[in-house]
Amino acid sequence: MSEAISLLNAILQSTTCKMVRLEGEWYFVFANDSMLRVGCLWRITVDGHVVLSSGDHEQQFGLPAPVDAAWEATRLVVAKRIVSVELDPGTADLYVEFDDGSELNVINNSSGHEPWEFTSQEIRLVAQASGEIAIWK
C-alpha cells in the first residue's frame, strides 16, 4: 500500500485536474495526462462538508434543472493544485487533497468489483475490492 501511495503522490502532487467526464464510468483527467477511472461512489468536500457526489448526477433536488455532476465536479476542482494523496489500507478508499483544502474522496462501495483505476505514462494502479492495490510499471 505504501508503494501505491508513494507512486500516486509522485505523479499527482503539484498537478491539477483539467476535466471530469462521465462515459459509463467517471473519469478525472489531470494536466499531466494521467487519469483516474472511478466505478464507485465519489464525493467532493469543501471545509469538511459534502458539496457534490456521483450520486447527485441527474437529480433535480428542486433546482431548475437536474445536476450535471461532471460539469459541477469540473467546476469545483479544475486548475486546483493537488497537495496530497492518501489511501485507506483496508478499503482502498482514495483521498485527493487540493491546495484550497477541498478533497476528492473515492469510496469503495463494493466487495466484489474494482472500484477505481489510475493510469499514467509510468504506471497503472488498480484498486481491488479487498483493499489491495495492483501495480504495473
Side-chain angles (χ1 to χ4, degrees):
M1 185 67 66
S2 62
E3 180 182 12
I5 294 168
S6 295
L7 290 167
L8 284 167
N9 274 297
I11 294 169
L12 288 176
Q13 265 189 354
S14 297
T15 196
T16 59
C17 185
K18 67 179 184 180
M19 172 191 350
V20 180
R21 68 179 192 263
L22 175 60
E23 295 175 6
E25 293 188 300
W26 295 92
Y27 293 87
F28 292 79
V29 181
F30 301 97
N32 63 4
D33 293 324
S34 61
M35 184 171 52
L36 176 64
R37 178 195 54 79
V38 179
C40 62
L41 176 66
W42 59 261
R43 68 182 178 209
I44 296 172
T45 62
V46 174
D47 297 326
H49 301 281
V50 176
V51 295
L52 182 69
S53 83
S54 53
D56 294 339
H57 187 65
E58 296 185 339
Q59 299 298 316
Q60 190 132 3
F61 299 127
L63 299 169
V67 173
D68 179 342
W71 185 86
E72 288 293 333
T74 298
R75 184 183 65 77
L76 287 165
V77 299
V78 73
K80 293 182 181 178
R81 190 175 54 80
I82 296 170
V83 295
S84 71
V85 180
E86 296 293 330
L87 285 169
D88 183 300
T91 62
D93 290 355
L94 177 66
Y95 307 98
V96 179
E97 183 180 357
F98 297 94
D99 59 357
D100 68 348
S102 62
E103 284 190 4
L104 167 64
N105 307 146
V106 178
I107 302 159
N108 179 8
N109 61 348
S110 172
S111 63
H113 128 334
E114 298 168 340
W116 58 264
E117 174 183 12
F118 177 82
T119 55
S120 73
Q121 291 181 349
E122 297 87 8
I123 62 166
R124 178 178 175 219
L125 303 177
V126 178
Q128 300 170 341
S130 64
E132 298 292 318
I133 306 292
I135 301 172
W136 290 268
K137 295 181 183 179

